[in-house]
Amino acid sequence: MASRPDPSEQTDPLFDLPTPSGSSPASPSQPEAQDAQLSLFDTPAASTGAGDRPSAPAASAAPADAVAPRSDHKAPAPQDPGTPWTELPRAAFDLETTGKDAHECRIVTASLLLIDARGEILQRWDWLADPGVEIPEGAAAVHGISTEHAREHGRPAAEVVPEIVAAVADLLERGIPVLAFNASYDFTVLAAEARRHGLQAPEAFPVLDPYVMHKHVRVRWRGKRTLVALSEAYEVDLEEAHTSGADALAAEQVGRRLAEEFAELRVGAPQIHRQQIEWSAEQAADFQEFLRSRRQDPSIVIDGTWPVRDLQG
């Protein structure tokens, strides 16, 4: 979740009460730790023209029966949309970036995990990019990747972004739901980066967002709703918070814990996706009303568009 806006800052303080004093977020991982986690691709992505979708990169080692992202782009084998998503394979996705503005920031690291119905990782893809711009000190302090480290160890964004777009698109085209915490940030960043590199962004469907789901089922919640806070609340191990791989896995596990607790979340991924569009809009409208009343400013607007915000320009 590094470098993105803190979701707790966007929610109604009446519902998201402050964390008791004395608590502190997990320390960011250093570049050396990130090196050990990232498994970078050695083969550059094939060059593509504007609007084309590149082939997905090869995945890391996995069982022989694992479902790998396709590179032929033929008819996908979609999942049964009526089967609860917890009983089927799913994916988890996270980005670490250069800043909080989803329209302007650049991808620094990305992780995509393919997970089976039991919660075991089948395959994993990790990327480290040289974003081509300076990584602000504030962002580097969170995710541990400095400008110098990205330039020395990362690959050009022109190679990395097409691979991420292709890998995410391949899974979504199969009907495999992708979990992302505060998904409107990650998928807006991905859409903006795709456009920046002349690519077609993946159709973000079906997507599952534990942040939106948690706000729906637990309206009144004492404490923050950050991934770190919810991981602690639901006893999810998140030792390397703010690294894309650890955050992606934690998002899936928090989502699974929520579905175990609330039966209304144990339905097909397409149904949950459509419901989250409504839930996010309602949550934003409630917060907007609160802020306008609290600050006596009727011009305040909170965008509840989900899972991809409108791209500017």
Side-chain angles (χ1 to χ4, degrees), residues 100-183:
K100 295 182 178 181
D101 186 339
H103 297 92
E104 298 297 332
C105 69
R106 304 296 195 270
I107 294 172
V108 178
T109 70
S111 293
L112 181 64
L113 314 179
L114 181 61
I115 299 168
D116 68 14
R118 299 168 299 175
E120 300 294 328
I121 298 175
L122 295 175
Q123 291 179 319
R124 172 172 173 165
W125 299 261
D126 294 284
W127 294 266
L128 171 60
D130 173 1
V133 299
E134 293 287 326
I135 300 174
E137 291 184 2
V142 176
H143 54 57
I145 305 297
S146 66
T147 301
E148 294 73 20
H149 183 84
R151 287 174 177 171
E152 181 178 357
H153 300 285
R155 291 188 293 123
E159 295 178 6
V160 171
V161 171
E163 291 183 359
I164 300 171
V165 168
V168 172
D170 279 333
L171 294 178
L172 290 171
E173 287 173 2
R174 290 173 178 260
I176 295 175
V178 175
L179 287 95
F181 192 87
N182 197 19

Side-chain angles (χ1 to χ4, degrees), residues 187-263:
F187 279 93
T188 301
V189 171
L190 187 61
E193 283 276 56
R195 186 172 72 169
R196 194 171 289 123
H197 291 275
L199 302 168
Q200 178 183 350
E203 180 181 358
F205 177 87
V207 173
L208 303 176
D209 188 340
Y211 172 63
V212 173
M213 291 191 289
H214 187 265
K215 288 192 68 179
H216 173 71
V217 296
R218 298 297 298 270
V219 176
R220 294 190 176 275
W221 178 255
R222 182 171 295 277
K224 293 185 176 182
R225 293 187 200 258
T226 62
L227 181 58
V228 171
L230 293 187
S231 294
E232 181 177 356
Y234 287 94
E235 299 182 342
V236 169
D237 184 12
L238 183 53
E239 293 183 355
E240 295 184 314
H242 306 305
T243 60
S244 55
D247 284 4
L249 181 58
E252 188 277 335
Q253 292 176 338
V254 169
R256 183 152 38 99
R257 298 283 199 280
L258 289 172
E260 291 171 354
E261 182 178 358
F262 297 96

Side-chain angles (χ1 to χ4, degrees), residues 47 51 172 191 198 219 259 261-262 267 287 289 293:
S47 60
L172 290 171
V219 176
E261 182 178 358
F262 297 96
V267 296
F287 187 38
E289 181 180 359
S293 174

Side-chain angles (χ1 to χ4, degrees), residues 262-313:
F262 297 96
E264 67 175 299
L265 301 179
R266 295 195 297 273
V267 296
Q271 178 179 338
I272 287 286
H273 179 105
R274 296 185 181 97
Q275 289 175 316
Q276 287 172 122
I277 294 174
E278 298 177 0
W279 296 343
S280 180
E282 292 169 357
Q283 292 161 8
D286 288 344
F287 187 38
Q288 176 177 288
E289 181 180 359
F290 169 81
L291 288 180
R292 287 182 174 183
S293 174
R294 182 73 172 267
R295 300 179 183 177
Q296 295 297 301
D297 183 355
S299 67
I300 293 176
V301 175
I302 303 298
D303 186 1
T305 308
W306 184 95
V308 182
R309 309 281 195 215
D310 291 336
L311 296 184
Q312 301 170 348

